[in-house]
Amino acid sequence: MARGAAGGGHGELMDSVYRTQRHIYDLSRKYYLLGRDGLIADLAPPPGGAVLEIGCGTGRNLVAVGRAWPDAFLYGVDISEAMLETARGAVAKAGLAHRVALAQGDACDFDASALFGRAAFDRVFISYALSMIPEWRGALAQAARCVAPGGRLEFVDFGQQDGLPSLWRRALFGWLARFHVAPRAELGRVIAALAKETGTAGYCRSLYRGYAIRGGLARG
């Protein structure tokens, strides 16, 4: 759901995958995109703070953030114009249009200043999008650049299913591949290297016996 109009072929691919699915996406995904609501509950932006979601998809998470943190200003970027169309409708239906700005862009190199009129955000988060972004390392680096001093980057995505039966892992990974989703085995190592490179504090932890991985960076 992120590598933009801006990202050419992948944007067209995501539009083709989700042009129809977007209408049932949230209903079908709520049972297996685990850890999203925990991440949102932990965001705790400062009063009047800015929260950016990279790969915002249908807007489901931004609506949840808006309800949980009514003083925050919200921003979302996604590669798929089809998904953004759904997100705009969801935001309007929730009565949050005055606090949410949405834009199409490439997760790896979007210009936040041009899209939103600001370059840095108090909280940046990515929910189950890194596994869909071909150049996901670049997306993490871009996300880190968008974190304001004292701010945080948070992400959650599919883990390697370490504590679950191997048959489950093969079945899940095979099914995800049909939707161009590939869980990133190197996430922990990449976030550690990025933390060192950027002088931030990084972390990664496994959730639900390895079903999901949660991590992030905190900028001093």
Side-chain angles (χ1 to χ4, degrees):
M1 289 177 292
R3 197 172 204 283
H10 192 64
E12 294 170 3
L13 173 63
M14 291 296 99
D15 274 344
S16 69
V17 170
Y18 291 108
R19 185 168 286 112
T20 301
Q21 279 199 47
R22 63 195 171 100
H23 300 297
I24 59 167
Y25 185 91
D26 290 330
L27 180 63
S28 62
R29 265 63 173 182
K30 70 178 182 178
Y31 298 106
Y32 65 88
L33 298 187
L34 307 180
R36 297 182 299 174
D37 292 334
L39 183 155
I40 290 168
D42 292 342
L43 283 176
V51 179
L52 168 67
E53 181 178 15
I54 297 175
C56 64
T58 64
R60 179 264 187 197
N61 294 330
L62 286 174
V63 169
V65 173
R67 289 171 174 162
W69 310 103
D71 294 327
F73 292 92
L74 313 176
Y75 303 84
V77 62
D78 201 284
I79 192 169
S80 170
E81 180 56 37
M83 282 297 218
L84 286 169
E85 182 181 340
T86 296
R88 293 184 192 104
V91 165
K93 184 177 179 180
L96 295 172
H98 63 295
R99 286 203 288 133
V100 180
L102 300 170
Q104 188 177 25
D106 185 330
C108 300
D109 64 8
F110 63 90
D111 185 337
S113 294
L115 293 178
F116 302 121
R118 64 182 305 142
F121 305 81
D122 301 290
R123 302 290 184 267
V124 178
F125 73 101
I126 309 173
S127 172
Y128 285 93
L130 291 171
S131 53
M132 302 181 68
I133 302 171
E135 297 176 24
W136 61 276
R137 295 173 183 82
L140 273 175
Q142 170 68 7
R145 286 191 288 270
C146 291
V147 178
R152 299 199 319 266
L153 162 65
E154 299 281 352
F155 67 82
V156 64
D157 214 307
F158 291 106
Q160 293 300 301
Q161 317 302 305
D162 316 74
L164 296 165
S166 58
L167 181 61
W168 164 268
R169 184 182 190 274
R170 289 196 299 272
L172 177 65
F173 280 22
W175 184 76
L176 291 174
R178 295 176 58 191
F179 301 98
H180 308 280
V181 176
R184 308 305 184 184
E186 297 180 358
L187 252 175
R189 291 190 292 274
V190 170
I191 205 71
L194 186 58
K196 183 176 181 180
E197 177 185 332
T198 57
T200 56
Y203 81 96
C204 267
R205 67 174 182 265
S206 178
L207 303 177
Y208 316 114
R209 297 176 60 192
Y211 180 87
I213 185 168
R214 170 96 181 259
L217 297 170
R219 189 179 295 282

